[in-house]
């Protein structure tokens, strides 16, 4: 198979014009030395530091003394490399804030490259007493210089100072004003201000570029270091997300070569169960290229069913410690965009040899289960098998056959077994939130053909419940052998979030008693008790916000959302590294090893010693990679939705409010999605106060209220395809929408702003809730 082509990324037409990124001349501080060492692409010693800062004569002598003092303080190792690691983390280092949960910040090293197979450590950011305000000001993506220490609870970071944004993290579109000055319009909708461009680096107006600061002061502007091309070209939206989030998307040549070698491994039938006579079927999206799961079921004669969930045997081809393994671990998961897939494994494996294709013999890990008449999985066993998929069928086609009464026996059996599993699921009563999913359909030219809410079919539920059954079986099977498990963990909501939810529910006249055991069924009952559709939408949004984020880890804490005590991801090893680790653990626990031919690949396909020792670190790394992928995918969908709507600016849409803040409220277009802001400046001349408890904006004169869940008509005022940002206004709005970019908009100059901006200070933030707008 041909190697994956590299996406076209035009370079600057005059690379020689790019200025160097060397630090400003002069004697550096301790912080500047450490930051230079941490960000240097090569080992940095006294000579490199002196050259970087342009030191000569007596300054070099002073630098030598400074480095000696820093070595005595334990900041650096004092050796030629001037680079000090404590178990992989320097005592003083540059960190990037990864997430903020319940007011607590977590960060990872900003420059991490000790070993491409080693995940970065996750550090809890702890402030000294009296300095809480600094942490409160931190946000995701911030860079800090911090002292680090390893405690019994893991790594802790103590911030020393906040640093400028990463030099390689600026992306935007070049704009040229009337005076000929260049500006970088950001593609991140969270960044509101354009930056002056000190050096275009050959870029032209309208081109998508990557830039870096031109100097230490923000007033120095930025310089273009790479030209990416037309920001509205096909596949540009996903390219923006890939570059912004640093998602690895080009396989190194040695990884591709090893993938080709692995793909040629002979599929021996020795020590494999032969399941080729079973009519196993893979039900997937119509455009799926990688098929990692397939299912089969038949009645057992006692009111239940026998079933097999066959999963691609990726662990046979991707061995621990191999180049393929290190690259897969670094990626963590495949990333799915409307216009491309960034796979975890090379295409020769992900879309060919490992993919369960109709009529082809494939290596599989088979999960055999027995489903009782009550829908409970009573028995399970795992084998390595050879399968031959009888059918690859799309969800819609399988559903159509069932609905028409024309389904073959193998499909009828799957639905029969699923109905039992569905009964057991209903009895378990997992969290039931009806959250629509947007779907972007592109034509052959890569342009948007349609954007709609994805239809939820029984066929989706069939596959989902079979996969859940297999995932539970995998977790329990490993537990029975006291083997390592990478659990999929979803913890119950924190008390702080439950208190906030309780206070919010009081505004609706509902009581959430916190003295009882909090279960998913409690939230489900609460939602069933809400009769009004608007109110139910508000409560559903509030329940969703109260939930914690799922993650991977070796210490079981259950899966709250699914109401399961033990749960592990087993069913998608082509696209998730966590599943591959579970497969390896099963190979060890049930003695399913199948060595590769001598000299072809590492002989072991089970867990390596390193996997066992670093399971917590690996779990943290793949959890972070998952969050990165989710954010990139969501942002790309937002850009496509904004592009789809850019030609409909000025139209009035039916919308629903999804969130309210003091500066305005967010709304989404019904049946389409795409959250947009309604700035409070567009709500007219009266003052609007924000009631934090009910999350409501209330007009001081009219008493008009805007609350989550309210349905109203809004005019689309702005749709920015590059940022994915939408802005709405009331159809009869007299206010203004401030231009994005931090530069005056001549088209809007002279227009008055709403009176809400006048006299806001001193007004109460929390006021008594007096009802909701209907």
């Amino acid at each position: 198979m041909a190697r994956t082509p590299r996406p076209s990324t035009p370079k600057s037409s005059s690379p020689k014009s790019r200025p160097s990124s060397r630090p400003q001349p002069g004697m550096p501080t301790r912080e500047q030395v450490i930051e230079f060492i941490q960000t240097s692409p090569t080992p940095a010693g006294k000579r490199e530091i002196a050259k970087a800062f342009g030191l000569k004569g007596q300054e070099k002598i002073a630098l030598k003394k400074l480095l000696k003092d820093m070595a005595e303080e334990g900041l650096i190792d004092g050796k030629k490399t001037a680079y000090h690691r404590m178990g992989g983390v320097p005592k003083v280092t540059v960190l990037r804030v990864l997430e903020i949960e319940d007011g607590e910040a977590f960060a990872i090293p900003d420059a991490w490259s000790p070993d491409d197979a080693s995940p970065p450590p996750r550090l809890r950011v702890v402030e000294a007493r009296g300095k809480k305000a600094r942490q409160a000001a931190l946000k995701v993506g911030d860079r800090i210089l911090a002292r680090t220490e390893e405690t019994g609870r893991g790594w802790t970071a103590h911030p020393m100072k906040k640093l400028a944004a990463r030099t390689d993290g600026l992306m935007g579109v070049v704009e040229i004003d009337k005076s000929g000055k260049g500006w970088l319009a950001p593609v991140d909708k969270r960044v509101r201000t354009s930056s002056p461009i000190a050096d275009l680096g050959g870029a032209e107006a309208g081109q998508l570029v990557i830039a870096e600061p031109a100097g230490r002061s923000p007033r120095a502007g930025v310089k273009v270091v790479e030209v990416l091309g037309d920001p509205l070209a096909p596949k540009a939206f996903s390219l923006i997300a890939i570059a912004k989030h640093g998602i690895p998307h080009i396989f190194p040549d040695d990884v591709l070569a090893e993938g080709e070698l692995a793909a040629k491994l002979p599929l021996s039938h020795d020590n494999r169960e032969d399941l080729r006579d079973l009519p196993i079927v893979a039900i997937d999206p119509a455009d799926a290229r990688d098929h990692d799961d397939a299912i089969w079921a038949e009645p057992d004669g006692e009111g239940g069913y026998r079933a097999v969930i066959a999963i691609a045997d990726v662990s046979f081809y991707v061995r621990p410690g191999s180049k393929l393994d290190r690259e897969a671990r670094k990626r963590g998961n495949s990333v799915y965009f409307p216009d491309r897939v960034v796979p975890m494994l090379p295409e020769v494996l992900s879309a060919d040899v490992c993919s369960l294709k109709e009529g082809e013999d494939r290596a599989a890990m088979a999960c055999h289960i027995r489903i009782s008449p009550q829908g409970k999985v009573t028995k399970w066993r795992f084998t390595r098998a050879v399968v031959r998929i009888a059918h690859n069928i799309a969800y819609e086609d399988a559903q159509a056959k069932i609905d028409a009464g024309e389904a073959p026996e193998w499909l009828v059996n799957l639905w029969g077994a699923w109905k039992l599993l569905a009964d057991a699921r209903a009895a378990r009563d997992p969290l039931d939130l009806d959250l629509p999913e947007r779907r972007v359909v592109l034509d052959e030219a890569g342009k948007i053909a349609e954007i709609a809410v994805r239809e939820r079919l029984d066929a989706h539920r069939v596959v989902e419940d079979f996969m859940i059954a297999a995932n539970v079986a995998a977790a329990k099977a490993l537990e029975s052998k006291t083997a390592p498990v990478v659990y999929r963990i979803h913890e119950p909501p924190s008390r702080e979030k439950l208190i906030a939810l309780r206070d919010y529910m009081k505004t609706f006249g509902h009581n959430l008693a916190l003295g009882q055991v909090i279960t998913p069924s409690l939230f489900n009952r609460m939602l069933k008790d809400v009769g009004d559709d608007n109110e139910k939408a508000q409560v559903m949004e509030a329940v969703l916000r109260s939930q914690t984020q799922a993650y991977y880890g070796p210490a079981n804490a259950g899966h709250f959302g699914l109401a399961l005590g033990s749960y592990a991801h087993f069913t998608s090893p082509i696209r998730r590294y966590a599943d591959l680790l579970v497969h390896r653990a099963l190979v060890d626990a049930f003695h399913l090893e199948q060595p590769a031919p001598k000299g072809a690949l590492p002989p072991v396909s089970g867990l390596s010693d390193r996997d066992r020792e670093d399971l917590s670190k690996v779990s943290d790394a793949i959890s972070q990679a998952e969050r990165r992928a989710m954010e990139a995918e969501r942002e790309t969908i937002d850009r496509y939705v904004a592009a789809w709507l850019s030609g409909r600016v000025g139209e009035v849409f039916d919308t629903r409010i999804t969130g309210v803040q003091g500066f305005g409220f967010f709304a989404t277009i019904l049946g389409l999605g795409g959250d947009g802001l309604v700035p409070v400046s567009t709500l007219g001349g009266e003052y609007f106060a924000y009631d934090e408890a009910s999350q409501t904006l209330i007009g001081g004169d009219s008493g008009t209220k805007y609350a989550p869940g309210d349905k109203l008509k809004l005019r689309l005022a702005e749709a920015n395809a590059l940022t994915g940002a939408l802005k709405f206004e009331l159809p009869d709005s007299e206010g203004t929408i401030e231009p994005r970019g931090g530069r005056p908009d001549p088209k809007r100059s002279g227009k008055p702003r709403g009176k809400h901006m006048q006299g806001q200070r001193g007004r109460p933030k929390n006021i008594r809730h007096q009802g909701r707008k209907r």
Side-chain angles (χ1 to χ4, degrees), residues 314-329:
V314 176
S315 64
F316 177 67
Y317 298 99
V318 181
R319 304 299 177 98
S322 65
K323 294 181 178 66
L324 281 169
D325 181 50
R326 290 197 295 271
E327 182 69 17
R329 183 181 297 209

Side-chain angles (χ1 to χ4, degrees), residues 347-396:
E347 192 168 328
V348 68
L349 296 177
S350 62
D352 189 7
V353 174
C354 291
S355 188
L356 303 181
K357 293 184 175 182
E358 181 176 327
E360 301 284 345
D361 287 5
R362 288 290 187 261
M365 186 75 75
C367 172
H368 299 256
I369 60 174
R370 293 293 293 269
I371 304 171
S372 74
Q374 294 75 37
K376 294 185 177 181
V377 177
T378 56
K379 294 181 181 179
W380 55 79
R381 67 183 178 91
F382 290 86
T383 65
R384 264 181 158 158
V386 178
V387 298
R388 183 178 296 161
I389 303 304
H391 304 279
N392 285 116
I393 186 170
Y395 288 113
E396 295 79 5

Side-chain angles (χ1 to χ4, degrees), residues 39-201:
T39 56
S40 174
T42 58
K46 185 181 69 174
R47 179 180 300 175
E48 289 75 20
I49 296 171
K51 183 177 180 181
F53 288 91
L55 306 183
K56 297 180 180 179
Q58 292 299 315
E59 290 177 326
K60 286 187 177 181
I61 297 174
L63 175 65
K64 183 177 180 179
K65 183 178 184 303
L66 174 63
L67 295 177
K68 182 179 179 181
D69 291 343
M70 292 175 68
E72 290 175 353
E73 294 171 21
L75 301 181
I76 60 177
D77 63 8
K79 298 177 183 178
K80 183 179 180 180
T81 60
Y83 201 74
H84 183 92
R85 287 192 177 276
M86 293 172 50
V89 183
K91 285 183 179 179
V92 176
T93 190
V94 179
L95 303 175
R96 174 168 52 87
V97 177
L98 183 73
E99 64 177 322
I100 297 177
E101 187 169 328
D102 296 334
E104 193 169 41
F106 295 89
I108 61 173
D110 193 48
W112 182 256
S113 58
D115 182 338
D116 60 0
S118 177
R122 187 168 179 263
L123 298 91
R124 187 165 57 96
V125 181
V126 177
E127 294 285 355
R129 290 185 178 179
K131 295 184 179 179
K132 292 294 182 183
R134 186 196 292 164
Q135 179 165 316
L138 290 178
K139 61 183 182 297
V140 173
D142 280 350
R143 296 170 69 242
I144 56 174
L145 184 68
R147 289 188 175 89
T148 65
E149 63 175 337
E150 190 171 16
T151 65
R153 296 180 58 190
W155 284 97
T156 300
H158 303 280
M160 297 166 61
K161 64 181 292 188
K162 192 172 178 179
L163 302 174
R166 281 193 61 168
T167 58
D168 61 349
L170 299 175
M171 177 182 287
V173 174
V174 174
E175 294 180 349
I176 307 294
D177 63 20
K178 292 181 179 179
S179 68
K181 183 175 180 57
W183 295 84
L184 184 71
V187 295
D188 187 342
K189 60 185 173 184
R190 294 172 296 185
V191 180
R192 296 284 304 164
T193 307
S194 294
S195 301
I197 300 177
D199 186 344
L200 284 166

